[in-house]
Amino acid sequence: MNIEIEEICKDFGTTAALQPVSLSIPAGSLVALLGPSGSGKTTLLRILGGLEFPSAGRVLFDGADATGLTVQERRAGFVFQSYALFRHMSVFDNIAYGLRARPRKTRPAAAEIARRVTRLLDLIKLPDIGGRYPSQLSGGQRQRVALARALAIEPRMLLLDEPFGALDAKVRKELRQGLRDIHDTTGLTTIFVTHDQDEAMELADLIVVMSMGRIEQIGRPAEIRARPASDFVRQFLDL
Amino acid sequence: MAHCVPLAARPRRLRSATTEPRVVKGVLIALCLAVLSVLLFAPLIAVFDEALRRGWAFALASLGEPDAQAAIRLTLSVAALVVPLNAAFGIAAAWAITKFDWRGKAWVITLIDLPFSISPVVAGLLFVLMFGANSAFGAWLVASGFPIVFAVPGIVLATLFITFPFIARELIPVMLEQGRAEEEAALTLGASGSRVFLTVTLPNIRWALLYGVLLCNARAMGEFGAVAVVSGKIRGQTTTMPLMIEMFYNEYLSVAAFTMASVLALLAFVTLVLKSALEWRHADQLAATHRH
Ligand SMILES: Nc1ncnc2c1ncn2[C@@H]1O[C@H](COP(=O)(O)OP(=O)(O)OP(=O)(O)O)[C@@H](O)[C@H]1O
Ligand SMILES: [Mg+2]
């Protein structure tokens, strides 16, 4: 699904989290929102997911206006920074949550839900942890469960807020490749937030560099490296 | 009280930074137990002793009196009405305060605490002023056959007011600590607002809710001051257990008074035992979700 962001603004009271921002994301791409703390990355992601509504501007999904769609109607697979796994549910129930929440007409039967959860557990390479609780998992495992839970709803896009933020360098590297693989197998338009330039350079097809609620530059990693659009980009990327 | 026990139950060769020398520990524990026995255990025993002064049969007979029966029934039904209502109010208030940002929030938090800071007698008088026969509204209520003051509705209202903070106060810190992320996650997974509440919010607050309900229930059954003002103390109709105890006592029916007092104390005791039993059974789960 391609995503069109047209002149989106967001104010929180007197602070402007996003100045008018425009961005066009081709279907199936893997996009990094890169920028320093407070630059509006999370705000933009939450607007796409329907958790926040823009003060002005439009969002288009496949050309259709999606600005007014509720969070449920967006069907965005959202992975939160702290993962936000349901702490009182087993991993299995966490992943099955979205399927069970469907209206009766479109809800799969219990056996089908179990089959899909098992397949997702295989996809994240953690086939045996269905019975555990989130408190019994490592950080990296939690992150992958959160990803599986988001994928379970057959989302139209995947939105990840600093998916590797709380993990050590080695695990980050492994999971990076994991995300790339999952993106390539599902073909989902994927947007992830990071303030790690290496992560963005290595993983993304397209990098959106943000600063103080504005987009400084949009481009492929090689383009940005070759032609940084501003002093800010040059400095932030150590070019 | 809760702090005395783990200290003693933790023998350690290496002293951690916060561990006091043995003597200090011993003195503190002794002091704690002494205060507890003088202030809590001794009076409680005295109450039961006084009730049974003329034997079980006599004590039980005093409970069989129609007035005593009516008082027990009234207290239980008021609690049965007030606790669910305040659970609903408490959840709604805690939800509104912790999950949304709105103007006047700080003011509402203060307002929730009001019943804690106002003397119950004053609270009772407030209801008499508002709904009593001297106010226009109260006079109309009496004329239309639905009096609030000196009737059961007044008792329910006063008890609701007094016990309002218990559940909300218990829930707010827990819900603040848990934040909104899990609810938001559930929404992005397609769940409706009510489904999110039932499957995510409620299970996460169930322990705090239970504590709040138990505390609220204990106070609802025991409230004296505010209820005394609004009830009018009509025997067999608007007399709750605490009021009945006072009436028996003033009429020198000390066995009846202390027997009723024992029943009330036992009800509170059952509440505490229930709480401890649940805590004990779900200790690991409690430790995993939050420290209490
Ligand atoms: N709910 C809110 N209320 C008020 N201000 C907010 C709110 N959410 C974000 N902001 C403000 O909007 C700006 C952008 O915040 P945002 O969370 O989008 O930044 P970010 O790029 O994700 O930063 P980080 O890398 O630290 O997560 C910040 O100045 C922040 O203070
Ligand atoms: Mg952020």
Side-chain angles (χ1 to χ4, degrees), chain A residues 109 210 216 221 231:
Chain A
M210 297 184 66
E216 292 281 334
D231 287 343

Short mmCIF file of all heavy atoms in Angstrom, two decimals, chain A residues 109 210 216 221 231:
data_model
loop_
_atom_site.label_atom_id
_atom_site.label_comp_id
_atom_site.label_asym_id
_atom_site.label_seq_id
_atom_site.Cartn_x
_atom_site.Cartn_y
_atom_site.Cartn_z
N ALA A 109 -11.91 -19.36 13.05
CA ALA A 109 -12.22 -20.33 14.10
C ALA A 109 -10.99 -20.54 14.97
O ALA A 109 -9.87 -20.23 14.57
CB ALA A 109 -12.64 -21.65 13.47
N MET A 210 14.65 13.92 9.83
CA MET A 210 13.78 14.94 10.44
C MET A 210 14.54 15.75 11.48
O MET A 210 15.47 15.25 12.12
CB MET A 210 12.57 14.28 11.10
CG MET A 210 11.67 13.56 10.12
SD MET A 210 10.19 12.91 10.91
CE MET A 210 9.37 14.43 11.36
N GLU A 216 14.10 17.27 6.75
CA GLU A 216 15.29 17.91 6.20
C GLU A 216 15.65 17.34 4.84
O GLU A 216 16.10 18.05 3.95
CB GLU A 216 16.48 17.73 7.16
CG GLU A 216 16.33 18.47 8.47
CD GLU A 216 16.67 19.96 8.34
OE1 GLU A 216 17.45 20.31 7.44
OE2 GLU A 216 16.14 20.76 9.14
N PRO A 221 19.69 5.78 0.94
CA PRO A 221 20.89 5.94 1.76
C PRO A 221 22.07 6.49 0.97
O PRO A 221 22.74 7.41 1.42
CB PRO A 221 21.15 4.52 2.26
CG PRO A 221 19.81 3.89 2.28
CD PRO A 221 19.03 4.48 1.15
N ASP A 231 23.30 21.51 6.24
CA ASP A 231 24.35 21.36 7.25
C ASP A 231 23.89 20.43 8.35
O ASP A 231 24.67 19.64 8.88
CB ASP A 231 24.72 22.72 7.85
CG ASP A 231 25.52 23.55 6.86
OD1 ASP A 231 26.05 22.95 5.91
OD2 ASP A 231 25.60 24.78 7.06
#
